[in-house]
């Protein structure tokens, strides 16, 4: 019997959070959530729990799946999100916001496993973004049900 993958999934991931400031000190172990949805096939989401954020609420960072993929092999990114391999076993994701900067260290194998799961849902190059654009335009024009 064939298995059907869900249209979206979340994968918990252990990480080391290094922040210039924040609750719990400058460095701490944290479990974040890596999320992916077929409805937004070009993006991945990194969700930090409220206990480790300055806002005291869950904080989600969204960035390109290709950025994460490239950053596993070589330094990648511009602007608010940068990703690079650290020592063969770890990968660094650096996040910049007006409130400050955070550096998050992940086991590279965890990120590879997450990306394999995303590509099982939507293969690289097979992302159909027209549906998302149509939904965004419909919402902008006041047609929440779509065109």
């Amino acid at each position: 019997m064939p298995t059907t993958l869900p249209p979206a999934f979340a994968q918990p991931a252990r990480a080391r959070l290094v922040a210039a400031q924040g609750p719990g000190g400058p460095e701490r172990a944290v479990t974040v959530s890596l999320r992916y949805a077929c409805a937004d096939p070009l993006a991945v989401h990194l969700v930090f729990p409220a206990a480790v954020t300055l806002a005291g609420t869950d904080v989600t960072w969204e960035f390109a799946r290709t950025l994460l993929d490239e950053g596993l092999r070589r330094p990648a990114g511009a602007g608010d999100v940068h990703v690079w391999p650290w020592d063969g076993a770890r990968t660094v994701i650096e996040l910049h916001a007006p409130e400050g900067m955070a550096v998050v260290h992940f086991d590279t194998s965890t990120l590879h496993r997450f990306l394999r799961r995303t590509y099982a849902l939507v293969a690289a190059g097979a992302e159909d973004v027209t549906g998302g654009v149509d939904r965004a335009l419909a919402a902008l024009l006041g047609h929440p049900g779509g065109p």
Side-chain angles (χ1 to χ4, degrees), residues 36-97:
Y36 183 77
C38 293
D40 191 9
L42 297 173
V44 295
H45 304 265
L46 176 57
V47 184
F48 292 91
V52 300
T53 69
L54 293 174
T57 59
D58 288 0
V59 171
T60 301
W61 282 80
E62 178 180 332
F63 52 95
R65 177 171 71 164
T66 55
L67 172 60
L68 180 58
D69 195 354
E70 182 180 347
L72 291 172
R73 295 182 307 280
R74 62 184 161 273
D80 295 341
V81 181
H82 300 260
V83 183
W84 66 89
W86 180 252
D87 61 5
R90 291 179 291 174
T91 298
V92 174
I93 298 178
E94 183 179 274
L95 306 165
H96 295 262

Side-chain angles (χ1 to χ4, degrees), residues 4-136:
T4 305
L5 292 171
F9 70 90
Q11 174 180 312
R14 297 282 300 150
R16 296 286 310 163
L17 174 63
V18 182
Q21 59 181 333
E27 183 174 339
R28 67 191 291 187
V30 62
T31 299
V32 299
S33 180
L34 298 167
R35 296 183 182 171
Y36 183 77
C38 293
D40 191 9
L42 297 173
V44 295
H45 304 265
L46 176 57
V47 184
F48 292 91
V52 300
T53 69
L54 293 174
T57 59
D58 288 0
V59 171
T60 301
W61 282 80
E62 178 180 332
F63 52 95
R65 177 171 71 164
T66 55
L67 172 60
L68 180 58
D69 195 354
E70 182 180 347
L72 291 172
R73 295 182 307 280
R74 62 184 161 273
D80 295 341
V81 181
H82 300 260
V83 183
W84 66 89
W86 180 252
D87 61 5
R90 291 179 291 174
T91 298
V92 174
I93 298 178
E94 183 179 274
L95 306 165
H96 295 262
E99 301 80 16
M101 177 189 70
V103 175
V104 188
H105 296 238
F106 289 90
D107 285 339
T108 300
S109 61
T110 299
L111 298 177
H112 274 295
R113 184 172 50 254
F114 172 72
L115 278 175
R116 278 193 305 273
R117 291 181 71 192
T118 73
Y119 289 130
L121 287 175
V122 179
E127 300 93 345
D128 176 14
V129 296
T130 57
V133 171
D134 289 345
R135 285 188 298 279

